[in-house]
Amino acid sequence: MSFSAEIKSELSNLIPTGRHCRLAEMAAILYSSGAVISHQNGKPEIIITTDNEVIKRKYFTLLKKAFNIEADTEKVLQALRINRGNEPTYDLSEGVSSLIIKNTCCRRAYLRGSFICNGSTSNPVSGYHLEFVQNFYQHAVKLQDILSGFSIEAKIIKRNKKFIVYIKEGALLVLLLNIMGAHNALLKLESLRVEKEVRNTVNRKVNFEAANISKSVTAAARQIEDIVYIKENMGFTALADNLRQIAELRLEYPEASLQELGELINPPIGKSGVNHRLRKLGEISRKMQGFRY
């Protein structure tokens, strides 16, 4: 089961206790996956247009609990603040009424219903991306405003005549899952985030250490080349005692670090002192070879 499917499965089992929240989630399903048609006798009918049985089952569970008995369609539309006005048909393009989502708990329910219908998220192992697909721009803007009220910055793009409301930050995904009530999915995401962060930290340290090792090996090789050139073309007798001593040690211990070389000298010297002497040997080698500085 995909991560999106896991989230939807968890959310589909959450039924709000308050009637106002049930109406908000019903509105989200209707605006996302429904339509209202008018028959010749003037009677409206609500159609849930999706083939997804989970969505249909969630809508009718909410309907039953919100209205207790067989609900009259006109009463449902009135409760959801969907009015025909003077038009022959019901237009859902303007999106949910602000009266339906005026409470924080109702906005949570609306997000939950919207995600069940048209939300999706990428596999968090590969990256963080969650989106809602909206049929109308007005719906996308309202959804963006709801998310903004929870301090979630979402962006809107148009794709194949649809409007996509999306977020791409792991912390915001965690926050949204908590807001919608998908706590099991939240724990799984947090676990994956921590694992991913630890792995990235380890990789950064390994790469840093590997780069330092490579740098040290390259420097040691260059030092040995300089010292060998001096030995073969001038010998060590002309060198000052401190330079001759470090030259001999570097040839004897080609893999030793600067600190280790310094500890072999009597009395011991620090890394900076060793580095200074090796740099002087490099300068001598280059002068002998005719390099200009």
Side-chain angles (χ1 to χ4, degrees):
M1 183 184 292
S2 69
F3 191 52
S4 288
E6 290 181 29
I7 297 172
K8 293 183 180 185
S9 177
E10 183 176 359
L11 296 181
S12 67
N13 293 319
L14 296 178
I15 305 298
T17 56
R19 184 173 186 270
H20 45 88
C21 292
R22 292 169 181 169
L23 292 175
E25 193 163 350
M26 284 176 63
I29 294 173
L30 180 56
Y31 283 109
S32 299
S33 301
V36 181
I37 61 174
S38 297
H39 294 288
Q40 289 183 346
N41 61 6
K43 291 290 185 179
E45 181 182 2
I46 295 175
I47 304 294
I48 304 301
T49 56
T50 180
D51 292 328
N52 190 321
E53 292 300 322
V54 172
I55 297 173
K56 290 181 179 179
R57 187 165 55 250
K58 182 67 181 286
Y59 179 82
F60 287 111
T61 300
L62 292 168
L63 178 67
K64 182 178 179 180
K65 289 186 175 293
F67 293 91
N68 297 320
I69 57 174
E70 188 72 23
D72 177 81
T73 301
E74 290 183 334
K75 286 186 178 180
V76 174
L77 293 173
Q78 184 178 10
L80 295 179
R81 306 287 179 172
I82 299 174
N83 301 311
R84 180 168 54 185
N86 297 323
E87 299 298 324
T89 59
Y90 290 83
D91 182 11
L92 302 181
S93 63
E94 289 301 316
V96 64
S97 167
S98 58
L99 295 175
I100 295 294
I101 54 173
K102 64 180 180 179
N103 300 322
T104 299
C105 55
C106 296
R107 291 193 289 274
R108 291 173 182 265
Y110 188 86
L111 289 173
R112 186 161 55 243
S114 295
F115 188 85
I116 290 173
C117 291
N118 54 32
S120 65
T121 183
S122 62
N123 184 340
V125 173
S126 57
Y128 305 120
H129 180 91
L130 183 146
E131 64 180 39
F132 298 83
V133 180
Q134 304 290 297
N135 293 320
F136 300 100
Y137 180 69
Q138 294 92 322
H139 292 193
V141 170
K142 288 199 174 185
L143 193 60
Q144 184 184 45
D145 289 342
I146 293 172
L147 291 168
S148 178
F150 289 107
S151 300
I152 296 177
E153 183 182 354
K155 296 182 180 180
I156 300 175
I157 59 170
K158 189 173 183 181
R159 183 199 303 153
N160 299 328
K161 298 183 180 180
K162 302 284 187 179
F163 298 93
I164 314 300
V165 182
Y166 71 94
I167 56 179
K168 294 183 72 68
E169 293 183 28
L172 296 183
L173 262 68
V174 169
L175 178 57
L176 179 56
L177 291 178
N178 185 49
I179 289 167
M180 294 190 299
H183 298 128
N184 291 334
L186 184 155
L187 291 174
K188 180 176 181 178
L189 177 59
E190 277 287 56
S191 177
L192 290 171
R193 284 184 68 214
V194 170
E195 181 182 334
K196 188 175 182 179
E197 190 126 341
V198 170
R199 186 167 59 249
N200 288 341
T201 299
V202 170
N203 287 340
R204 281 195 297 271
K205 288 183 177 180
V206 169
N207 291 338
F208 178 76
E209 291 175 3
N212 280 344
I213 291 172
S214 177
K215 184 177 179 181
S216 297
V217 169
T218 301
R222 187 177 63 249
Q223 293 159 6
I224 291 172
E225 287 179 3
D226 290 334
I227 293 169
V228 169
Y229 185 85
I230 293 172
K231 183 178 182 181
E232 292 179 348
N233 292 275
M234 185 180 73
F236 289 164
T237 55
L239 294 174
D241 289 344
N242 62 343
L243 296 182
R244 175 182 51 76
Q245 188 180 31
I246 199 66
E248 291 173 345
L249 285 172
R250 172 47 88 197
L251 292 181
E252 187 176 355
Y253 302 99
E255 296 181 359
S257 66
L258 297 183
Q259 182 176 340
E260 290 169 340
L261 288 176
E263 292 172 352
L264 292 171
I265 295 174
N266 188 19
I269 62 174
K271 289 169 58 177
S272 60
V274 173
N275 188 53
H276 174 74
R277 296 183 185 184
L278 290 171
R279 192 166 57 246
K280 290 292 292 182
L281 289 170
E283 291 173 0
I284 294 171
S285 173
R286 282 160 179 71
K287 283 182 181 179
M288 291 175 61
Q289 297 176 59
F291 287 101
R292 299 183 62 183
Y293 292 86

